[in-house]
Amino acid sequence: MEPELDPEVAARERARQRQLRQQQIQRRRTVLGVCLLGLIVLIVVLALTCSGEKSTSGSTETTGPETTLASATYGATLTGSESVPPVKTAASATFTLTYNAEKKKLTYKLEVTSAITNPSSAAIYQGSPGTSGSTVYLLFTGPMKEGSFIGVLAEGEIVEDDLIGPLRGGTLADLVSIIEQGKAYVSIGNKSHPVDAIRGQLSKLKGQSTE
């Protein structure tokens, strides 16, 4: 037979066992609490990340649309009376500028319709009627056409990289914008008048197909 434990010793042993069980339970609760807290933090981080991605996506979608140009034709009739100052001459020319929205191309043609003597340059300028403006696109830079000239002086496609002056680094839309505001003109220079031998303000032509 096992010897009986002293009641006092037995009581202390039972108390020690209860204390050990309580400590184990407390440790388990602590571990569980830490795990739960970590899970909550993870959920919050994931929620914030998803919210940030949605916000970024939303801001991208609401960015303003790029400027879209519609097909159109612009034109000018160049005469000496439009020059600054006016020039007495019978010379004249026509300039057409056509934007094709499907091909996204802006093409031009400058044709002398009544002979001009020794034409040496031509360009598009930013400026209102009666003022001396700034060059934004060079159409013809020579060599000078010796003597009396009639016919096509320049034609081609306007390229954004070739815009100069106030429109340097700009777009075709920027050029079209000043034309539609009535703030662009075409000028031909010659030996006698290097600038504005004949000149004409650009404007949108109505009732013309650009196809």
Side-chain angles (χ1 to χ4, degrees), residues 127-182:
S128 300
T131 65
S132 295
S134 301
T135 308
V136 295
Y137 197 87
L138 298 172
L139 299 169
F140 176 71
T141 57
M144 182 175 65
K145 304 288 187 180
E146 298 285 349
S148 180
F149 176 83
I150 190 169
V152 177
L153 183 62
E155 64 180 331
E157 178 184 347
I158 289 183
V159 180
E160 290 180 345
D161 290 344
D162 291 338
L163 292 172
I164 60 175
L167 294 188
R168 185 182 298 277
T171 65
L172 297 181
D174 295 327
L175 175 58
V176 169
S177 177
I178 64 171
I179 292 173
E180 294 190 340
Q181 293 174 44

Side-chain angles (χ1 to χ4, degrees), residues 79-114:
T79 63
S81 62
E82 295 293 318
S83 299
V84 178
V87 176
K88 290 184 178 181
T89 177
S92 64
T94 58
F95 179 77
T96 54
L97 186 67
T98 302
Y99 182 73
N100 186 307
E102 183 178 352
K103 297 180 180 179
K104 296 184 178 180
K105 288 186 176 182
L106 189 62
T107 56
Y108 64 88
K109 183 176 182 180
L110 177 59
E111 183 174 6
V112 176
T113 52
S114 183

